[in-house]
Amino acid sequence: MPSNVEIKARVSNATRLAERASQLSQSEGTVIHQQDTFFNCSTGRLKLRNLMQDGSGQLIFYERPDCDGPKVSNYSLSTTQDPEGLRTVLADSLGVKGEVRKERRLFLVGQTRVHLDSVEGLGHYMELEVVLREDQRPEEGEAIARSLMKELGVGDDSLVTGAYVDLLLEGQG
């Protein structure tokens, strides 16, 4: 199962973070509109990501601890050309836990995906996903994430636990 090291943090100044990410990635980033539907499941999280621009989607199962700071996430992913049809089947069979709508600006910095997210009902957040190579230990990914946090000006005091859906369900918007 592929894995990555992730962190999620609240962002107080989205413009400044976007400028730093732009400098590090040497790009303006790619804007992506996403709707994630989370389904009830017994372990981990199961979400269907509707990639609003092109009508495609991704069914993603992942497991990661709910703690702040860098954490390893193991995931599996399958693409679909019928996200709405798949959503109906999964909703009917498993039930919907919650939904997250966001505008994501994606920057690539080395092996790290830097996401600047504007989440409906929550505000601005940043995610780092250090995609681990097969031969790479999680500790190396954590070191990369910590280093990028410093370069982006993200302090430990802004780190959050859980997924956006959890924050929305807890009313932390």
Side-chain angles (χ1 to χ4, degrees):
M1 186 178 281
S3 61
N4 57 33
V5 172
E6 297 184 14
I7 66 135
K8 186 185 315 278
R10 283 186 174 81
V11 173
S12 58
N13 188 330
T15 302
R16 187 173 65 220
L17 192 122
E19 288 170 357
R20 288 180 174 162
S22 240
Q23 290 169 351
L24 292 171
S25 69
Q26 298 179 8
S27 80
E28 292 304 309
T30 303
V31 175
I32 307 165
H33 294 272
Q34 300 175 338
Q35 177 180 328
D36 293 342
T37 303
F38 286 78
F39 301 95
N40 297 313
C41 63
S42 58
T43 62
R45 290 185 177 91
L46 179 66
K47 69 179 172 185
L48 177 63
R49 173 162 289 158
N50 188 332
L51 302 168
M52 309 298 282
Q53 290 93 318
D54 66 4
S56 70
Q58 301 170 323
L59 183 62
I60 305 165
F61 172 77
Y62 65 99
E63 295 177 296
R64 73 168 180 242
D66 286 331
C67 60
D68 59 12
K71 51 199 158 276
V72 175
S73 177
N74 297 305
Y75 62 93
S76 53
L77 182 142
S78 177
T79 59
T80 181
Q81 293 303 310
D82 183 17
E84 286 305 315
L86 184 55
R87 183 195 182 289
T88 299
V89 170
L90 290 168
D92 288 349
S93 61
L94 300 173
V96 172
K97 181 178 181 180
E99 290 191 342
V100 176
R101 295 174 191 270
K102 64 182 174 274
E103 179 181 278
R104 169 166 282 175
R105 193 163 162 195
L106 167 65
F107 302 91
L108 300 175
V109 180
Q111 70 189 84
T112 305
R113 298 169 57 92
V114 178
H115 303 148
L116 178 55
D117 293 335
S118 177
V119 184
E120 191 174 295
L122 287 179
H124 296 286
Y125 286 79
M126 186 240 12
E127 286 184 350
L128 298 179
E129 291 181 357
V130 182
V131 180
L132 296 175
R133 298 184 306 267
E134 281 188 33
D135 64 340
Q136 201 167 25
R137 295 186 345 265
E139 295 80 13
E140 293 176 63
E142 289 176 23
I144 292 168
R146 288 275 180 202
S147 175
L148 260 177
M149 280 176 59
K150 287 180 185 168
E151 290 185 75
L152 292 168
V154 175
D156 286 344
D157 59 333
S158 61
L159 295 175
V160 296
T161 61
Y164 294 138
V165 70
D166 300 324
L167 297 175
L168 286 167
L169 292 172
E170 293 166 7
Q172 294 187 24

